[in-house]
Amino acid sequence: MFRLFASYLIVLTIPMFASAQEPSPSLPDPCAEGKAQVTRLESRLRDWPALARYRVDNSKVVAPGKNEQRVVFMGDSITDAWDDPKYGGFFPGKPYIDRGIGGQTTPQMLIRFRPDVIALKPKVVVILAGTNDIAGNTGPMTVEAIENNLTSMFELAHANKIRVVLASLLPISDYEKNREGKPIIRTVQRPPEQIKALNEWLRKYAAATGSVYLDYYSAMVDEKDFLKDELSEDGLHPNQRAMT
């Protein structure tokens, strides 16, 4: 989940005893990063669902072949990273299309569902979404509101004869290493009880609609309801070990 904004502290080190004949060093503009953040924010507000992210790529996707089993993966940064070799480089040579966008929530995905999924005419769509909603990436969201958005995505897919795979949310690790390398607990942004509640709804909804429920959670959770420490470097995104 996901990458939206980062704050950087620029530390300027100036020699205390610089020679009077020495030219003054060229210093970075302390406002440059702030201006860049404002520019990124303005761009995001102009295209809140990020419809432009895959517009060019979508225009290059040709109609599927007669026996092609095309699959589109819809999601956030976890999906976005699936075709990155660093995380395993999944599905080389397969007719699978990645349409994940880091940091996104279900209302954003719902808006771009038609151009990024339906228009590509897949046989199947795999939806992995909701963790950023729980984190409040685009504002406060109830579990019910997340369920409504997922329901709408399912209904759009079903109306277009696209089979749906509903993936469980992954557990999130709120472990952090202290200076001695021992795990400590930090602030929980994605409460495990909300993740489990949404996953239970996904499981029941998939059964009721004849969809597939893809249970990542059970395979990756530890005894504290967190993502197993060895399966992630940052507590949120699966590492290569988790992907293999």
Side-chain angles (χ1 to χ4, degrees):
M1 16 317 34
F2 49 75
R3 294 185 177 188
L4 296 182
F5 300 99
S7 298
Y8 298 96
L9 176 64
I10 302 175
V11 180
L12 307 180
T13 305
I14 305 175
M16 295 179 65
F17 301 104
S19 168
Q21 289 76 28
E22 212 172 10
S24 299
S26 178
L27 302 178
D29 179 1
C31 297
E33 181 58 31
K35 292 175 181 176
Q37 287 190 26
V38 170
T39 299
R40 289 194 294 269
L41 177 59
E42 289 175 346
S43 176
R44 185 174 181 81
L45 291 175
R46 284 195 296 269
D47 185 12
W48 183 73
L51 291 167
R53 164 70 186 276
Y54 290 112
R55 184 173 291 142
V56 173
D57 290 338
N58 289 343
S59 69
K60 297 176 182 178
V61 176
V62 299
K66 182 178 180 181
N67 297 315
E68 180 181 331
Q69 300 300 310
R70 179 174 294 176
V71 180
V72 171
F73 292 84
M74 168 60 79
D76 46 47
S77 58
I78 297 172
T79 300
D80 202 354
W82 277 3
D83 57 2
D84 187 330
K86 181 172 64 175
Y87 296 102
F90 274 162
F91 316 131
K94 297 289 186 180
Y96 299 164
I97 300 174
D98 188 339
R99 288 298 179 262
I101 297 181
Q104 282 214 331
T105 56
T106 56
Q108 293 172 301
M109 295 179 207
L110 179 57
I111 292 173
R112 66 184 182 90
F113 198 83
R114 188 170 294 278
D116 286 352
V117 178
I118 296 172
L120 305 182
K121 301 185 183 303
K123 295 285 188 182
V124 178
V125 60
V126 179
I127 302 172
L128 173 54
T131 192
N132 289 328
D133 300 65
I134 292 174
N137 278 20
T138 51
M141 286 281 286
T142 63
V143 172
E144 182 181 9
I146 303 170
E147 293 167 0
N148 289 340
N149 290 330
L150 290 167
T151 298
S152 293
M153 282 188 263
F154 168 83
E155 291 174 347
L156 282 169
H158 184 69
N160 287 274
K161 298 180 172 56
I162 301 169
R163 292 197 62 192
V164 177
V165 174
L166 295 169
S168 71
L169 273 64
L170 277 60
I172 303 302
S173 174
D174 282 289
Y175 293 117
E176 187 175 29
K177 303 291 184 182
N178 62 16
R179 291 183 180 178
E180 288 73 38
K182 297 178 181 179
I184 58 177
I185 302 296
R186 58 183 167 82
T187 304
V188 179
Q189 290 186 321
R190 298 171 173 84
E193 59 271 17
Q194 292 188 31
I195 293 175
K196 289 192 288 185
L198 185 54
N199 282 343
E200 180 60 14
W201 177 87
L202 284 164
R203 184 186 66 79
K204 291 180 178 178
Y205 186 78
T209 58
S211 305
V212 174
Y213 175 60
L214 185 55
D215 187 4
Y216 292 124
Y217 184 89
S218 297
M220 303 179 76
V221 69
D222 69 8
E223 68 281 356
K224 295 183 182 294
D225 291 331
F226 288 162
L227 176 62
K228 292 177 181 177
D229 193 45
E230 67 272 17
L231 299 183
S232 176
E233 309 306 325
D234 62 5
L236 178 63
H237 301 90
N239 57 22
Q240 190 170 7
R241 180 174 178 180
M243 295 293 198
T244 55

